[in-house]
Amino acid sequence: MTTAKALIDLRSDTVTLPCKGMRKAMHEAALGDDVYGEDPTVRKLEETLAAMTGKEAGLFLPTGTQSNLCALMAHCERGDEYVAGQMAHLYRYEGGGAAVLGGIQPQPIENSADGSLELSLVADVIKPLDFHFARTRLLCLENTMQGRVLPLCYLQALKPFAQTHGLQLHLDGARIFNAAIACGTSLPELTHMFDSVSICLSKGLGAPAGSVLVGHSSVIATARRWRKVLGGGMRQSGVLAAAGLYALRHNVDRLAEDHARARRLGDGLRALGLTVEPLQTNMVYANCSEFDLSRLSERLLARGVMINPASRLRLVTHLGIDDEAVEKVLLAFQGSI
Ligand SMILES: *Cc1c(COP(=O)(O)O)cnc(C)c1O
């Protein structure tokens, strides 16, 4: 915790470092060869998250990208198609993996302002059963979506819609715990309608690596095969799973602090005259289109604050950002804009 301590890093909640307690849990983890299904800590993590989300089974993977890809490949075959938002992480930021490695065609559509996909627009792009077309098999959503929580009433409409159209449902729930904390709901309320859900441990939960895919046992069994094919079968990965279990015990409820600090940061930036989007979780989006961005990020860095320069600037609160850091960030902005 040496270099990261000096700088206040707002680029992402992936920059968190494992705390002492988490490192101790990793050190003491019971281990085995997980490709043989013999790592007790990995099994426990998979079972724990499956139970927490009300699903039959879980699968531990090295990254969220591989978790989404295994899910897509479990739901779709070569020549099939998935529908996702233009802004969906799994469509936009994962190297086109489903097309490259799965032969699965994406059908992107515009996201609504709240991050959802309007179901009439989804219905419009579903292809008829005809050999001219790819077979539309899967609808993918993301929660939280750029820090926004999908509305509960929207989630409730998904299952009947998917049944009517013969679609499977996948959720990229990288930050699903942020969503549950923000709307005060249980996890199953946000996940029961989905056939598979991918959850990141290495974001706000503070683990060094790892994601868990949960879902029906048949989907998870197929995803397990694809994980091996993609090179994601790890051996004594209980070292990492132990960090995940620690995170589930210690770092879920505290996400509320990240959300409160994001609100404080957003309010403070508005008070400095910036336009800040309404926010619900740990992401603050501020309009910085009027600034010279490289100059802004240099001036902030000189004041100990690290950002990813962008005209729609995203600032993310996390385990490494306390109340004092938020005030320092606001002073740094005051001196830099
Ligand atoms: C980070 C992230 C992923 C991918 O996770 P990696 O572990 O970085 O591969 C997927 N979806 C969303 C929404 C994410 O934020």
Side-chain angles (χ1 to χ4, degrees), residues 255-267:
L255 291 172
E257 297 174 29
D258 295 344
H259 300 175
R261 290 186 183 116
R263 278 196 298 277
R264 165 74 193 124
L265 187 54
D267 290 345

Side-chain angles (χ1 to χ4, degrees), residues 139-188:
L139 174 57
C140 301
L141 287 141
E142 189 173 314
N143 199 11
T144 60
M145 176 70 183
Q146 302 195 339
R148 283 159 307 196
V149 182
L150 295 183
L152 273 177
C153 57
Y154 176 77
L155 292 178
Q156 280 152 9
L158 282 175
K159 186 89 186 185
F161 176 85
Q163 272 167 349
T164 304
H165 296 277
L167 299 179
Q168 297 286 105
L169 288 168
H170 172 68
L171 177 68
D172 181 351
R175 296 185 179 83
I176 193 65
F177 281 101
N178 293 86
I181 293 284
C183 52
T185 52
S186 72
L187 224 42

Side-chain angles (χ1 to χ4, degrees), residues 9-30:
D9 192 342
L10 297 169
R11 290 173 302 166
S12 177
D13 48 9
T14 56
V15 300
T16 52
L17 298 174
C19 66
K20 259 197 182 143
M22 185 178 278
R23 286 175 195 241
K24 185 162 178 284
M26 295 170 77
H27 183 72
E28 291 169 359

Side-chain angles (χ1 to χ4, degrees), residues 34-166:
D34 182 54
V35 174
Y36 285 105
E38 290 170 5
D39 190 299
T41 310
V42 170
R43 280 194 181 176
K44 187 166 176 211
L45 175 65
E46 291 173 344
E47 283 161 14
T48 302
L49 267 168
M52 288 173 88
T53 50
K55 299 297 181 203
E56 290 171 359
L59 179 67
F60 184 52
L61 299 108
T63 64
T65 300
Q66 194 176 81
S67 179
N68 280 328
L69 180 55
C70 285
L72 286 163
M73 291 176 75
H75 290 298
C76 301
E77 293 176 7
R78 185 162 175 251
D80 289 350
E81 170 183 85
Y82 70 97
V83 180
Q86 284 284 2
M87 302 308 292
H89 196 284
L90 60 78
Y91 167 63
R92 203 178 181 92
Y93 300 107
E94 297 182 9
V100 175
L101 299 163
I104 307 163
Q105 162 173 297
Q107 170 61 68
I109 61 173
E110 288 304 322
N111 287 95
S112 305
D114 63 9
S116 67
L117 299 175
E118 208 179 298
L119 294 182
S120 64
L121 294 182
V122 177
D124 286 346
V125 298
I126 295 173
K127 314 287 182 287
L129 285 174
D130 173 321
F131 61 63
H132 289 87
F133 302 108
R135 295 178 302 184
T136 315
R137 289 278 197 217
L138 180 69
L139 174 57
C140 301
L141 287 141
E142 189 173 314
N143 199 11
T144 60
M145 176 70 183
Q146 302 195 339
R148 283 159 307 196
V149 182
L150 295 183
L152 273 177
C153 57
Y154 176 77
L155 292 178
Q156 280 152 9
L158 282 175
K159 186 89 186 185
F161 176 85
Q163 272 167 349
T164 304
H165 296 277

